[in-house]
Amino acid sequence: MGSGFSFHSKTNPPSPELSLGDLPEGCVASVLVYLDPPEISRLSVLNRAFRGASSADFVWESKLPTNYDSIIRRVFDDFLPSDLCKKELYTRLCRQNSFDGGTKKAWLDKSTGGVCLSISSRGLAITGIDDRRYWNHIPTEESRFGTVAYLQQIWWFEVDGEVEFPFPPGTYSLFFRLHLGRASRRFGRRVCNSEHVHGWDIKPVRFQLSTSDGQEAISQCLLEESGKWIHCHVGDFVVEKFGVPTTIKVSMTQIDCTHTKGGLCLDSVVIYPSEFRERLKLF
C-alpha cells in the first residue's frame, strides 16, 4: 500500500493598502507647517485627514506674524471676535483692512504672511489740498481707496505723512504710488488725459523718510513716464525690536518755484516687505 501525504498551506490574507487618508491628522499637520498658505489650501481638498490637518491652529499660527496680537489691536481696536480660529484669523488679516478713519489699510500677503500697509492721499498732509484751483479728489477704480488726489498745477509741491504701526521684525521698503496724467474709462477702454502734465522733467522730486529709531533715507528722481502707475522707491528701513511700534515719517517735495508742475495723480504711500520690490514692477 502506498502511503499518501497531504499538505495544507495556510496563506496570510493580503495586507490592506495604505493611502494618504490613513495618515494621522497630527502627522499631516506637522508637515503642513513647512508649506506656504496656498500650498496648504490646495492640499486640504485631498481627503479628510488633510482637510482636518489644514485647519489646525498650530499650522496657521506659524503663518501669522509673531506680533499678530499687536496688529489686531492697532487695526481692529479689539473689535475682532475673540473666538476665531487661527485659520479664520489669517484669512481676515489677509483682507485689506481699513483703520484710522479709512485713511489707511493693512493686510497680510496671502502667500507669505508678510505685513503690508498703505496710506491714502486723504491720510497725507498735502500743501494746497483744500484749494480747488490746485487739487481735486477724483474717484477711480484704480486705487484701493477709491479716490486719488489730482494736481492740476502748483508752484510749491509738498506732501508729508506719518504712521505708527507695530511692524514685526524685518526689512521694509516704502514707495509713493503716482501717475502722470488723469486716467479714465471711455467706451470700456482705459484712456489717459495728459493735458496738465508738465514740470516734472525739469528738476527732480525729492523723497525722504525717517523712523522713530533714527533711520533715514533720501532719494530723488525725475518723473517722466505718463499713462501708467509708478512706484517711486523712497528707501528701506529695518525693524529689529519685537513688540515696539515704529513711527515712520515720509515726504515728497518739489519746491523749486522757478516753474509750475501739474497733471499728477497721487494715490498713496505703500510699505511692503523688501522682498516684494520685484513684484511692483508688474503693476
Side-chain angles (χ1 to χ4, degrees), residues 176-215:
F176 272 88
R177 187 171 186 262
L178 309 170
H179 188 287
L180 287 179
R182 180 170 177 170
S184 61
R185 302 198 71 81
R186 186 175 300 167
F187 302 114
R189 298 183 59 186
R190 186 182 191 272
V191 295
C192 180
N193 184 342
S194 301
E195 68 170 307
H196 294 136
V197 177
H198 70 281
W200 302 107
D201 56 350
I202 300 174
K203 292 290 181 66
V205 176
R206 178 183 174 90
F207 302 96
Q208 191 168 359
L209 78 81
S210 62
T211 65
S212 50
D213 60 357
Q215 300 177 68

Side-chain angles (χ1 to χ4, degrees), residues 3 13 31 38-39 48 50 66 96 119 147 203 215 224 238 273:
S3 60
V31 174
E39 295 173 321
R48 184 179 299 174
F50 275 78
T66 51
Q96 295 193 10
I119 309 171
T147 63
K203 292 290 181 66
Q215 300 177 68
E224 299 176 303
V238 178

Side-chain angles (χ1 to χ4, degrees), residues 154-253:
I154 205 165
W155 292 89
W156 183 286
F157 179 87
E158 185 173 10
V159 179
D160 296 288
E162 181 175 341
V163 63
E164 180 186 72
F165 197 80
F167 290 98
T171 303
Y172 298 86
S173 297
L174 187 146
F175 306 82
F176 272 88
R177 187 171 186 262
L178 309 170
H179 188 287
L180 287 179
R182 180 170 177 170
S184 61
R185 302 198 71 81
R186 186 175 300 167
F187 302 114
R189 298 183 59 186
R190 186 182 191 272
V191 295
C192 180
N193 184 342
S194 301
E195 68 170 307
H196 294 136
V197 177
H198 70 281
W200 302 107
D201 56 350
I202 300 174
K203 292 290 181 66
V205 176
R206 178 183 174 90
F207 302 96
Q208 191 168 359
L209 78 81
S210 62
T211 65
S212 50
D213 60 357
Q215 300 177 68
E216 294 184 350
I218 298 174
S219 63
Q220 59 182 21
C221 69
L222 296 172
L223 304 181
E224 299 176 303
E225 192 171 6
S226 62
K228 62 181 292 187
W229 288 102
I230 56 175
H231 289 83
C232 292
H233 181 221
V234 180
D236 299 344
F237 62 94
V238 178
V239 176
E240 295 180 339
K241 295 182 179 181
F242 176 82
V244 179
T246 303
T247 299
I248 301 154
K249 295 182 179 180
V250 62
S251 67
M252 173 183 175
T253 56

Side-chain angles (χ1 to χ4, degrees), residues 260-272:
T260 62
K261 36 267 174 188
L264 176 75
C265 286
L266 170 58
D267 174 39
S268 58
V269 169
V270 290
I271 301 173
Y272 293 110

Side-chain angles (χ1 to χ4, degrees), residues 28-237:
V28 175
S30 297
V31 174
L32 296 183
V33 166
Y34 297 96
L35 302 181
D36 293 333
E39 295 173 321
I40 296 173
S41 297
R42 286 194 293 269
L43 290 174
S44 67
V45 301
L46 281 178
N47 52 50
R48 184 179 299 174
F50 275 78
R51 185 164 55 252
S54 67
S55 297
D57 268 358
F58 78 90
V59 170
W60 289 98
E61 187 156 17
S62 69
K63 309 306 172 188
L64 289 165
T66 51
N67 65 335
Y68 67 88
D69 285 336
S70 298
I71 294 174
I72 290 171
R73 286 193 296 270
R74 179 68 177 90
V75 175
F76 299 103
D77 290 329
D78 290 330
F79 288 119
L80 201 64
S82 58
D83 58 347
L84 292 179
C85 68
K86 295 300 187 291
K87 181 179 180 180
E88 292 171 330
L89 185 58
Y90 187 89
T91 301
R92 181 63 183 268
L93 287 174
C94 285
R95 301 175 189 172
Q96 295 193 10
N97 302 287
S98 299
F99 64 106
D100 282 1
T103 61
K104 301 179 182 68
K105 291 181 183 286
W107 66 96
L108 302 185
D109 176 69
K110 292 181 180 179
S111 297
T112 66
V115 175
C116 309
L117 186 143
S118 184
I119 309 171
S120 75
S121 58
R122 293 185 183 274
L124 301 170
I126 303 174
T127 299
I129 190 63
D130 295 324
D131 193 326
R132 296 288 297 274
R133 293 174 299 173
Y134 306 128
W135 289 92
N136 287 288
H137 285 289
I138 60 175
T140 175
E141 296 178 353
E142 297 185 3
S143 169
R144 59 172 51 92
F145 294 99
T147 63
V148 298
Y150 178 69
L151 172 66
Q152 297 188 82
Q153 179 173 291
I154 205 165
W155 292 89
W156 183 286
F157 179 87
E158 185 173 10
V159 179
D160 296 288
E162 181 175 341
V163 63
E164 180 186 72
F165 197 80
F167 290 98
T171 303
Y172 298 86
S173 297
L174 187 146
F175 306 82
F176 272 88
R177 187 171 186 262
L178 309 170
H179 188 287
L180 287 179
R182 180 170 177 170
S184 61
R185 302 198 71 81
R186 186 175 300 167
F187 302 114
R189 298 183 59 186
R190 186 182 191 272
V191 295
C192 180
N193 184 342
S194 301
E195 68 170 307
H196 294 136
V197 177
H198 70 281
W200 302 107
D201 56 350
I202 300 174
K203 292 290 181 66
V205 176
R206 178 183 174 90
F207 302 96
Q208 191 168 359
L209 78 81
S210 62
T211 65
S212 50
D213 60 357
Q215 300 177 68
E216 294 184 350
I218 298 174
S219 63
Q220 59 182 21
C221 69
L222 296 172
L223 304 181
E224 299 176 303
E225 192 171 6
S226 62
K228 62 181 292 187
W229 288 102
I230 56 175
H231 289 83
C232 292
H233 181 221
V234 180
D236 299 344
F237 62 94

